[in-house]
């Protein structure tokens, strides 16, 4: 319906009719003619008719206003419902789009974590040379020089690497591992010596007689740090497996029990070295 058209044609017509008749009756009082004569001859009925027309007009106007308000209320109700439905659909669409982007970002970050962890553990794979020697071959009376050089080189590379892990679990495990590696390397530098570069390292045997307490402490702390490093490295391997990070295994004999480790990865107290 256009703006120029009446909202209620019946009420509009009756209202204007009552208005016209009322005006005509009022004007006729001052014009000569039969209507004026009737008004003068029957003033009671004439004025009652005019009052009735005015009352009818008032009621029609009130009815028209109520009808208009009802129509406006229904119209706004439909508009509000339509707008609410639109925003509900938009909210669902935006939530689905956000979830999709969040999943895509998680997948991208997961791939970056996988690649970075595999790169950093390339020389320390499960059952690889470093891992096997750390578990079964470490003897602090005669420690492989190349083993410690490899550990020091890896620590230097990791300290230069500014990249970080997105997954908090991986980041925490990596932080524990690098801290354990640095602690073990520090204890080796503190307690172990070599005669010439390239020779195996050892705790100075003369400490056994000159400073037996330090000799005993050296073996205890070295073994504790080695065990902590082994546990931290195994935890990274566990996370690789749990999160589906494809890290290839290297074949090795896994029948031997790792030194210093108890069942379920619980750490046994480090053995007290016997006097040599």
């Amino acid at each position: 319906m256009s703006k120029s058209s009446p909202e209620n044609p019946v009420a509009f017509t009756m209202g204007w009719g009552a208005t016209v008749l009322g005006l005509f009756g009022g004007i006729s009082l001052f014009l000569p003619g039969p209507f004026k004569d009737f008004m003068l001859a029957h003033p009671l009925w004439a004025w009652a008719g005019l009052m009735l027309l005015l009352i009818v007009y008032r009621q029609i106007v009130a009815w028209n206003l109520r009808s208009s308000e009802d129509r406006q209320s229904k119209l706004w109700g439909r508009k509000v419902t339509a707008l609410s439905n639109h925003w509900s659909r938009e909210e669902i669409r935006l939530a689905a789009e956000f979830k999709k982007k969040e999943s895509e970002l998680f997948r991208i970050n997961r791939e970056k974590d996988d690649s970075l962890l595999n790169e950093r553990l390339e020389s320390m794979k499960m059952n690889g040379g470093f891992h096997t020697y750390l578990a079964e071959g470490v003897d602090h009376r005669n420690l492989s020089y190349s083993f410690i050089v490899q550990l020091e080189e890896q620590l230097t590379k990791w300290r230069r690497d500014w990249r970080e892990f997105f997954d908090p679990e991986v980041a925490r495990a990596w932080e524990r591992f690098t801290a354990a590696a640095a602690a073990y390397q520090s204890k080796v530098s503190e307690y172990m010596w070599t005669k010439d570069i390239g020779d195996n390292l050892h705790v100075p045997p003369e400490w056994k007689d000159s400073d037996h307490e330090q000799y005993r402490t050296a073996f205890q702390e070295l073994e504790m740090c080695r065990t902590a490093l082994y546990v931290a490295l195994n935890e990274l391997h566990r996370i690789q497996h749990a999160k589906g990070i494809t890290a290839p295994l290297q074949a090795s004999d896994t029948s031997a029990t790792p030194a210093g480790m108890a069942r379920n990865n619980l750490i046994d107290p480090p053995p007290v070295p016997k006097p040599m």
Side-chain angles (χ1 to χ4, degrees):
M1 185 177 294
S2 64
K3 293 183 179 179
S4 59
S5 302
E7 295 181 354
N8 190 331
V10 176
F12 179 81
T13 302
M14 293 179 67
W16 274 104
T19 303
V20 171
L21 290 173
L23 290 174
F24 178 76
I27 294 172
S28 298
L29 292 174
F30 304 97
L31 297 177
F35 189 77
K36 181 179 179 181
D37 295 338
F38 177 81
M39 293 288 289
L40 294 174
H42 306 282
L44 181 61
W45 290 102
W47 286 109
L50 287 175
M51 291 300 296
L52 180 62
L53 287 174
L54 290 175
I55 293 172
V56 170
Y57 173 72
R58 180 180 178 278
Q59 293 299 322
I60 292 174
V61 170
W63 176 47
N64 191 28
L65 288 175
R66 286 195 299 270
S67 299
S68 177
E69 290 176 355
D70 291 342
R71 284 191 297 274
Q72 289 293 335
S73 178
K74 292 179 180 178
L75 178 61
W76 277 108
R78 289 194 296 269
K79 288 183 177 180
V80 169
T81 301
L83 188 61
S84 177
N85 292 337
H86 168 74
W87 281 113
S88 295
R89 291 192 298 269
E90 188 69 10
E91 184 179 4
I92 293 173
R93 185 187 67 81
L94 290 175
E97 184 176 347
F98 176 79
K99 186 174 182 180
K100 180 180 179 181
K101 290 183 178 180
E102 187 179 38
S103 299
E104 180 65 16
L105 181 61
F106 177 81
R107 184 189 63 79
I108 293 173
N109 290 343
R110 174 71 174 275
E111 290 177 355
K112 290 180 179 179
D113 281 355
D114 293 356
S115 176
L116 181 58
L117 188 57
N118 282 330
E119 176 187 332
R120 289 181 176 177
L121 294 183
E122 177 65 26
S123 62
M124 299 181 179
K125 297 174 183 177
M126 177 73 76
N127 296 329
F130 183 92
H131 180 261
T132 302
Y133 185 81
L134 179 65
E136 304 168 5
V138 169
D139 182 355
H140 293 121
R141 295 169 299 183
N142 188 33
L143 184 64
S144 170
Y145 180 80
S146 61
F147 172 77
I148 294 302
V149 168
Q150 180 181 355
L151 180 61
E152 291 175 344
E153 289 177 348
Q154 291 299 320
L155 281 169
T156 301
K157 286 172 58 178
W158 297 334
R159 287 166 183 152
R160 289 197 303 262
D161 193 343
W162 55 265
R163 293 172 294 177
E164 297 180 349
F165 293 100
F166 294 97
D167 189 321
E169 183 183 8
V170 179
R172 289 192 296 268
W174 178 256
E175 184 177 353
R176 289 192 296 267
F177 171 68
T178 53
Y184 183 58
Q185 187 271 336
S186 177
K187 290 300 178 183
V188 170
S189 298
E190 180 181 356
Y191 290 124
M192 304 194 74
W193 303 80
T194 179
K195 293 181 179 180
D196 295 310
I197 295 177
D199 291 347
N200 287 351
L201 297 98
H202 57 274
V203 176
E206 57 270 21
W207 287 359
K208 181 174 59 174
D209 298 323
S210 62
D211 193 344
H212 188 74
E213 186 62 29
Q214 184 178 16
Y215 186 70
R216 177 189 180 91
T217 300
F219 278 98
Q220 286 181 330
E221 293 187 1
L222 285 166
E223 179 58 25
M224 288 179 64
C225 289
R226 181 207 69 84
T227 302
L229 176 58
Y230 180 77
V231 170
L233 181 56
N234 277 350
E235 177 63 12
L236 282 176
H237 290 153
R238 183 197 67 78
I239 290 176
Q240 279 186 314
H241 174 72
K243 294 185 176 295
I245 301 176
T246 54
L249 302 180
Q250 292 187 0
S252 178
D253 181 14
T254 59
S255 59
T257 301
M261 300 292 293
R263 187 172 299 176
N264 296 329
N265 284 340
L266 296 177
I267 304 174
D268 285 332
V272 178
K274 298 179 180 179
M276 298 177 61

